[in-house]
Amino acid sequence: MLTKFDPTNLKACLSLLEDITSNANQIQDSVLEAILTRNAHTEYLRGFLNGQVDKQSFKNNLPIVTYEDYHSYIDRIANGEPFDLICDRPIIVLLASEKNCTSLLRNFTWVGQTQSMYCQLLCGLVERGNVSRLGAPFASTFLKVIKFLENHWSELCSNIRTGRVSDWITDANCVSGIGKFLEAPNPELASLIEQECSKTSWEAIVRRLWPNAKCIEAVVTGSMAQYIPMMEFYCGGLPLISTFYVSSECSVGLNLDPLSKPCDVSYTTIPSMAYFEFFEIKKYHQETGHDPVVVDLVDVKVGHDYEPVITTFSGLYRYRLGDVLRVTGFYNNAPQFRFVGRQKVVLSIDMDKTYEEDLLKAVANAKLLLEPHELMLIDFTSRVDSSSFPGHYVLYWELGCKVKDVKVEPDPEVMEECCFAVEECLDSVYRNGRRNDKNIGPLEIKVVRSGAFDELMSFFVSRGSSVSQFKTPRSLTNEEALKILEATVVSKFVSRKVPSWELHELHSSR
Ligand code: AMP
């Protein structure tokens, strides 16, 4: 469907981009036709289309689904049933994403990933002068690497000094890969790195260790935006570039203006990646049960919010991605979106419904109160505690100090103000529920010890997530994961004031 092109030829790539974005509608129709024709005989499509492959039959007969609707098919494929349940080609890998956490990649362990991360860092340090950009898929992953460096720099330096990699690196690919770079002892380089890493502050450490780096490639939009202050702190002002908007399910869009500020980043949809439909999000209407509107790629409207619904070559049909995107404009005829957040309600006790976007905003506001005290919010998650009446929101915060090796001791008054600042930012339904603690109790922040979120990640990785993909869930319901976090709590604070509330706010729709 796409003309062949040479991906190393910049001109050819740009001309292809112009072509597919200009002909977005035609490309989308031909993508859908190709997907349906190829997969018409699969068990899934036969059940709904009975051999018909036209767009109208697709629209009329195929339901819009979520992961739950697909669960049984994925399980059957994982259990070795023929692949043509959903797709005409062999399915050779199943990715466990934050959204589905399919426990299929159990043997791809954290141990292997640790060795790989260690060797990549070692290689990057040996080649420090030649590194022109650094990156990881997401800002959260990038910060995990910095943390890993913090814990391992002394050992890495010793490897560079002796020219020998540590004995615990046993993975054959890692050993042979690093052998190509770590060829001889280099005590000068080891001392130089040691000098930088042992300074009291790790401010601009990335820039200091990799002086020729021009930018950092890591997604810092959507829920990743909360990590921008930390990224800026460690990277010393290097441009942060969010290159793409992709998911395990399919790639959706590219940032065609890579140097734009994180808050201005829009992703241009690439119409050849999949067949895209968009579910218009009007939270108020959804809650009142009105029919949702689903439109085609080229029919979205600037300023409106949508959830992508994708149909892919690999066997997902009208599958809801769960993200919220806001249309900011068009590149030729392909819409551009700002990533807003995840669609799902993350916290709810009574009539209140707190969406990820609301929670992120409220926490971003509250954490400003930490700044004068040299504290940083490293990571957070939340849950509802309904073990007492009324139930209340609990946030787990891992704090870090801007000055290295200084103990984190948050002032109770500041933390109580943070609890209140979060509440003040939540919507009027929440704040009304808080009046006289009628339906919702005071919000609580539990500070967890340093490294708690690494333990949480290890737990999810042991269940199939990959380190590079891992994104901290903004709310937790998994009992085992909660137990891990509860065991790391070092102090607790609650809101001492009742947030303000005004009657007229209740009548305004979201
Ligand atoms: P996964 O399914 O684990 O591969 O994660 C994909 C999810 O990460 C997407 O559905 C989004 O929620 C999020 N994501 C991917 N790219 C971006 C981006 N550029 N900005 C914000 N969030 C993103």
Side-chain angles (χ1 to χ4, degrees):
M1 171 195 351
L2 284 182
T3 44
K4 282 214 158 56
F5 76 106
D6 172 7
T8 60
N9 178 337
L10 191 61
K11 246 183 159 179
C13 293
L14 290 177
S15 130
L16 179 78
L17 183 71
E18 287 304 311
D19 188 35
I20 54 178
T21 50
S22 302
N23 299 304
N25 207 14
Q26 297 88 316
I27 297 272
Q28 279 284 280
D29 281 349
S30 57
V31 166
L32 181 64
E33 192 186 331
I35 293 174
L36 295 181
T37 314
R38 263 197 206 176
N39 297 296
H41 64 280
T42 57
E43 181 179 316
Y44 189 86
L45 280 191
R46 264 190 287 122
F48 294 108
L49 293 181
N50 204 11
Q52 289 165 308
V53 291
D54 60 287
K55 185 169 172 178
Q56 211 44 53
S57 307
F58 168 85
K59 295 256 180 196
N60 292 344
N61 299 318
L62 270 174
I64 291 177
V65 295
T66 63
Y67 180 73
E68 295 317 312
D69 303 298
Y70 254 83
H71 203 270
S72 62
Y73 288 91
I74 306 289
D75 282 352
R76 285 170 63 191
I77 293 166
N79 290 331
E81 280 198 44
F83 57 82
D84 61 0
L85 293 180
I86 57 171
C87 181
D88 72 321
R89 311 211 169 168
I91 291 173
I92 49 173
V93 68
L94 289 164
L95 292 175
S97 106
E98 171 209 346
K99 293 162 254 165
N100 54 41
C101 235
T102 322
S103 312
L104 296 171
L105 306 177
R106 281 215 171 111
N107 52 357
F108 185 53
T109 61
W110 171 229
V111 180
Q113 299 192 42
T114 310
Q115 293 197 27
S116 160
M117 194 180 323
Y118 185 89
C119 290
Q120 289 187 53
L121 267 175
L122 186 51
C123 176
L125 289 171
V126 172
E127 290 290 312
R128 68 190 284 267
N130 294 326
V131 173
S132 56
R133 63 197 162 120
L134 290 97
F138 296 99
S140 57
T141 340
F142 192 85
L143 291 169
K144 297 248 154 36
V145 178
I146 299 287
K147 179 101 191 152
F148 187 87
L149 180 64
E150 238 179 289
N151 294 333
H152 291 85
W153 62 265
S154 157
E155 186 181 349
L156 288 158
C157 286
S158 136
N159 288 182
I160 296 171
R161 177 161 284 115
T162 59
R164 269 198 68 222
V165 68
S166 299
D167 289 341
W168 62 273
I169 303 295
T170 49
D171 178 277
N173 288 329
C174 287
V175 174
S176 81
I178 196 63
K180 292 183 193 132
F181 295 93
L182 195 66
E183 289 173 319
N186 192 341
E188 296 81 39
L189 177 62
S191 301
L192 199 148
I193 296 170
E194 238 161 34
Q195 201 187 338
E196 290 304 337
C197 293
S198 47
K199 287 189 177 149
T200 351
S201 169
W202 263 38
E203 187 160 8
I205 189 72
V206 172
R207 211 168 195 161
R208 288 191 270 131
L209 291 179
W210 288 281
N212 296 327
K214 300 278 181 289
C215 65
I216 307 294
E217 269 185 35
V219 165
V220 287
T221 50
S223 69
M224 293 294 142
Q226 62 169 313
Y227 300 113
I228 293 175
M230 274 200 286
M231 294 288 283
E232 284 175 341
F233 177 77
Y234 288 118
C235 300
L238 284 172
L240 304 174
I241 297 185
S242 297
T243 319
F244 46 63
Y245 164 38
V246 297
S247 68
S248 319
E249 293 90 346
C250 83
S251 300
V252 182
L254 294 177
N255 174 3
L256 300 185
D257 186 9
L259 287 174
S260 50
K261 282 199 260 147
C263 58
D264 295 332
V265 168
S266 281
Y267 299 97
T268 303
T269 32
I270 303 299
S272 55
M273 295 291 187
Y275 179 66
F276 298 104
E277 293 168 277
F278 292 88
F279 202 60
E280 177 142 22
I281 296 169
K282 288 187 190 146
K283 284 176 184 159
Y284 178 73
H285 290 288
Q286 276 180 31
E287 281 155 17
T288 52
H290 287 218
D291 277 351
V293 181
V294 179
V295 295
D296 275 345
L297 180 78
V298 292
D299 296 327
V300 295
K301 294 199 177 69
V302 174
H304 288 217
D305 285 358
Y306 298 91
E307 177 182 348
V309 175
I310 54 165
T311 296
T312 68
F313 286 97
S314 50
L316 297 175
Y317 305 98
R318 304 197 98 187
Y319 179 92
R320 289 176 65 167
L321 217 43
D323 292 334
V324 182
L325 310 177
R326 185 161 304 149
V327 185
T328 52
F330 281 79
Y331 182 80
N332 294 327
N333 293 313
Q336 299 178 297
F337 294 96
R338 184 168 79 73
F339 189 93
V340 176
R342 298 282 301 158
Q343 157 82 321
K344 77 173 192 231
V345 170
V346 288
L347 294 168
S348 173
I349 289 177
D350 186 53
M351 300 298 284
D352 54 306
K353 281 192 170 61
T354 298
Y355 291 83
E356 184 183 273
E357 181 194 359
D358 308 330
L359 184 65
L360 287 169
K361 269 195 204 142
V363 170
N365 180 49
K367 77 177 180 190
L368 295 178
L369 298 173
L370 299 174
E371 270 175 20
H373 305 271
E374 297 290 306
L375 290 174
M376 296 189 288
L377 179 63
I378 304 280
D379 217 337
F380 85 94
T381 189
S382 65
R383 74 164 166 130
V384 158
D385 181 347
S386 24
S387 61
S388 56
F389 186 81
H392 68 285
Y393 289 8
V394 179
L395 304 186
Y396 295 88
W397 280 19
E398 181 176 329
L399 302 177
C401 202
K402 288 191 178 165
V403 185
K404 231 173 99 227
D405 300 332
V406 170
K407 209 161 164 245
V408 173
E409 274 174 306
D411 176 339
E413 265 182 37
V414 173
M415 292 308 295
E416 286 167 12
E417 272 304 313
C418 286
C419 296
F420 178 67
V422 173
E423 293 198 296
E424 276 279 275
C425 276
L426 296 177
D427 71 6
S428 52
V429 183
Y430 174 90
R431 285 182 279 126
N432 184 37
R434 276 281 286 116
R435 283 199 306 158
N436 312 320
D437 297 348
K438 221 172 33 189
N439 300 322
I440 303 174
L443 184 140
E444 183 177 15
I445 293 182
K446 294 187 177 181
V447 175
V448 293
R449 67 167 176 251
S450 164
F453 279 85
D454 285 343
E455 289 176 41
L456 190 71
M457 178 180 75
S458 302
F459 166 76
F460 283 109
V461 167
S462 73
R463 300 187 38 153
S465 288
S466 90
V467 178
S468 62
Q469 238 180 316
F470 181 75
K471 295 168 236 48
T472 305
R474 290 301 157 219
S475 70
L476 275 186
T477 47
N478 181 306
E479 285 299 327
E480 269 182 88
L482 278 169
K483 251 195 205 154
I484 292 173
L485 221 46
E486 276 294 335
T488 64
V489 172
V490 288
S491 47
K492 305 174 185 182
F493 307 91
V494 290
S495 182
R496 299 279 171 208
K497 294 182 268 183
V498 179
S500 52
W501 179 79
E502 285 168 45
L503 185 65
H504 72 266
E505 291 179 69
L506 258 189
H507 299 301
S508 60
S509 71
R510 295 171 51 100

